[in-house]
Amino acid sequence: MTKSYADLMREVRAQIRELSPGEVERLREASPGIVLIDCRETDEWEQGFIPGAIHLPRGYIELNVEAMVPDRSQPVVVYCAQGIRSAFAAKTLQEMGYADVASMSGGFQQWKSMGLPWLMPAYLSHEQKLRYSRHLLVPEVGAEGQAKLLASKVLFIGAGGLGSPGMLYLAAAGVGTIGIVDFDVVDLSNLQRQVIHTTDRVGEKKVESARLTINALNPDITVIGHEEMLTAANVERIIAGYDVVVDGTDTFETRYILNDAAVAANIPVVHASVFRFEGQLTVFQPYQGPCYRCLYPTPPPPELAPGCSVAGVLGVVPGIMGMLQANETLKILLGIGDTLAGRLLLFDALDGSFTELRLRRDPNCPVCSDAAVEARQAGRPLPAATVGEDAPFILGGSFGGQA
């Protein structure tokens, strides 16, 4: 028996639950776990959407909903422009096993006419949509996340073996501003691992060499060069305004200077270091995990932590660790996943293994302890440094770094 559109619509509405925009708004306030799916087309979504909604066009519901809403017991409300496509989408979700599904009657048009809250999506140019198209397909990133990256600022301390891959991948990802602190020039011995530089740039400033490579990859990225050594006198000025600092330093003095200033400024530091075939990585998120002084209250003896220029390093190791630094940085900027704050990741290139150690804040830390925070806020001198009895010490100390 043939059926008209009206017949199909009646059948669908008899099988699904419909909620008015007002009911959906009350449900949003009462149930933070509710999932809102906007099943309109992209050009409609770009005219505005309900805050917190997932954009999943009607034609892609069956293909992508399981990845975006894996828990079939989670309450789901689907909406479109007028409540027609969403009704059919709700029926589809019920048939796929979603237990608590509803369609919003009246759709987004009625939602707006009632004066309920709505947002405009982040604006990306046509070229940006093409460049970052693979990010836009990932629900955890999408247009909103890409807009965050474009507005973000990341500072690299060192344009060497660790900084090279990190700068390239963050530039490719669309991190809008990349700052680089480095006072050195490109040397032929750097090129075994510092892949952001090239043979024809030997003798040139590393900051300028890195800028040329970054802008060749992505001309939209703003590169800010700091051709100076990071010191206690300039660290506050240099790190100010950045969202994340990526630490590729190769001296303990610089690491302590950076750590203390970053804790005071509440800026996360993504730290990595390398030694021959080994690397280590962690995130120092102020007040959420330990800081560098919690991990290493005092520097190890020089003979246990020689630099790469003395001990050597397999060229690929800083590349691997630098890419992992870029991954941690993207998670921080996007607010997704679990960072390595409170965890130390150890890598061994010879057997391809990763080992994770749990870290905790030193309650007596002279920089990030509660007493230090109170002293800083009150303008009093910070507590004297103490070495915790259970402070971890790893062979090679904090390793030699990226040089």
Side-chain angles (χ1 to χ4, degrees), residues 389-400:
E389 294 180 0
D390 58 352
F393 182 79
I394 299 160
L395 186 60
S398 190
F399 295 152

Side-chain angles (χ1 to χ4, degrees), residues 16 55 78 80-81 98 100 107 150 178 201 203 212 233 247 251 376:
I16 66 166
H55 183 219
V78 191
C80 59
Y98 286 86
D100 187 0
L150 290 166
I178 293 178
R201 296 182 199 155
L212 290 172
D247 176 18
T251 69
R376 188 180 296 112

